[in-house]
Amino acid sequence: MRTYLLIHGALRGAWLWDRLIPLLEKGGAKAIPYDLPGHGKRVAGRAGVNMSAYISDVLSYIEKNDLRELILVGHSMSGIIISKVAEEMPERVRRLVYLAAVVPHDGEALIDLLTKERQEMLRKLEGKAKEIFGPLDVLRPNYFTDQDGAEKDFYLKQLTPQPPAAFFEKIRFKRFPNIDIPKTYILGLKDKSLPPELTRGFAERLGVKPMEIDGGHDMMVSRPEDVARVLLSLA
């Protein structure tokens, strides 16, 4: 049985995959949605969390549960996480899937991989903000842009404050992307967080042609059937 380990992006949690999981399971796969420390049901433990903490946590989870032949799916910031996990334990990873996700080079931080506009906004908060968040009116224009009305508000209310350290920590890679693991990039044509002109460059870093879905950044919510179809086709 194919096993997908689903790792969410910033401010989000394992709940992000709720619409996708039944479709993967219907296709005969096992899907594991994962809450990173400080997110979702683990929100109470977010103080001081950085990118290394995320990576170590996922590595420990995989090892503790003896997971193998994994299809690692990373959304948004978690492109860094799945890249480092694959470098550390390639024998356990069957494929890497970057779903509207960043693709790092050695020594880059998450902030280095964002749009210039978001970089400028975040650098103003460096060393000042303990958490990155805001009221619904601030979040509404930039998150879940494919949704509206009550449905959009429902998802906005699931978001949790983001420890800023994860944006500024530079991660070192010894071999990635030169690891012998198949890689897939899926981009959203309506993505406003990581727009296509940026994500096509990430796919180029991996040496692959991106697969395109007519959706926004959180396409597992807005286009779950399309995402499931692509993921199931990979195996």
Side-chain angles (χ1 to χ4, degrees), residues 15-30:
W15 51 264
L16 187 68
W17 310 97
D18 285 354
R19 289 185 173 179
L20 178 67
I21 290 169
L23 301 174
L24 293 177
E25 291 175 343
K26 186 178 179 180
K30 179 180 180 181

Side-chain angles (χ1 to χ4, degrees), residues 148-155:
D148 51 34
E151 182 184 54
K152 182 173 184 129
D153 284 349
F154 170 80
Y155 283 105

Side-chain angles (χ1 to χ4, degrees), residues 20-231:
L20 178 67
I21 290 169
L23 301 174
L24 293 177
E25 291 175 343
K26 186 178 179 180
K30 179 180 180 181
I32 304 172
Y34 193 69
D35 270 327
L36 293 169
H39 296 263
K41 294 179 180 178
R42 304 173 69 188
V43 68
R46 68 177 179 265
V49 169
N50 58 15
M51 191 63 72
S52 290
Y54 292 150
I55 293 166
S56 296
D57 194 75
V58 175
L59 287 167
S60 296
Y61 178 81
I62 292 172
E63 189 170 26
K64 180 180 177 181
N65 292 276
D66 195 25
L67 299 177
R68 299 179 182 275
E69 289 291 303
L70 282 173
I71 300 174
L72 281 181
V73 182
H75 176 239
S76 199
M77 76 167 181
S78 288
I80 295 177
I81 298 171
I82 65 170
S83 300
K84 190 61 178 177
V85 168
E87 182 177 89
E88 292 293 322
M89 44 176 59
E91 72 282 357
R92 293 179 181 265
V93 180
R94 179 175 176 176
R95 179 179 288 272
L96 294 172
V97 181
Y98 296 80
L99 181 59
V102 298
V103 177
H105 279 162
D106 176 43
E108 287 185 322
L110 175 58
I111 191 171
D112 300 322
L113 302 167
L114 304 178
T115 62
K116 296 298 183 185
E117 181 182 27
R118 292 188 72 198
Q119 287 186 35
E120 291 173 4
M121 179 190 72
L122 287 165
R123 291 196 192 283
K124 292 176 182 178
L125 301 175
E126 187 174 6
K128 299 176 183 178
K130 292 183 178 180
E131 296 178 332
I132 296 173
F133 204 51
L136 286 187
D137 287 345
V138 173
L139 298 173
R140 188 172 282 110
N142 300 311
Y143 293 86
F144 300 101
T145 54
D146 289 358
Q147 275 69 42
D148 51 34
E151 182 184 54
K152 182 173 184 129
D153 284 349
F154 170 80
Y155 283 105
L156 289 173
K157 289 174 182 176
Q158 311 305 310
L159 296 173
T160 50
Q162 172 67 46
F167 285 93
F168 301 106
E169 183 187 5
K170 297 183 182 298
I171 301 300
R172 301 306 309 265
F173 291 90
K174 296 178 181 178
R175 291 177 292 141
F176 180 84
N178 300 314
I179 51 177
D180 190 22
I181 296 174
K183 306 169 189 71
T184 298
Y185 199 97
I186 306 171
L187 64 81
L189 292 172
K190 297 177 180 176
D191 194 332
K192 295 181 180 179
S193 295
L194 296 177
E197 57 267 26
L198 187 61
T199 50
R200 288 195 176 97
F202 290 148
E204 189 174 338
R205 285 186 172 195
L206 297 174
V208 302
K209 182 178 180 180
M211 306 182 80
E212 300 177 351
I213 289 178
D214 190 26
H217 193 58
D218 297 284
M219 63 189 94
M220 71 291 286
V221 171
S222 62
R223 299 287 187 274
E225 294 85 2
D226 294 338
V227 175
R229 190 178 305 113
V230 172
L231 291 180

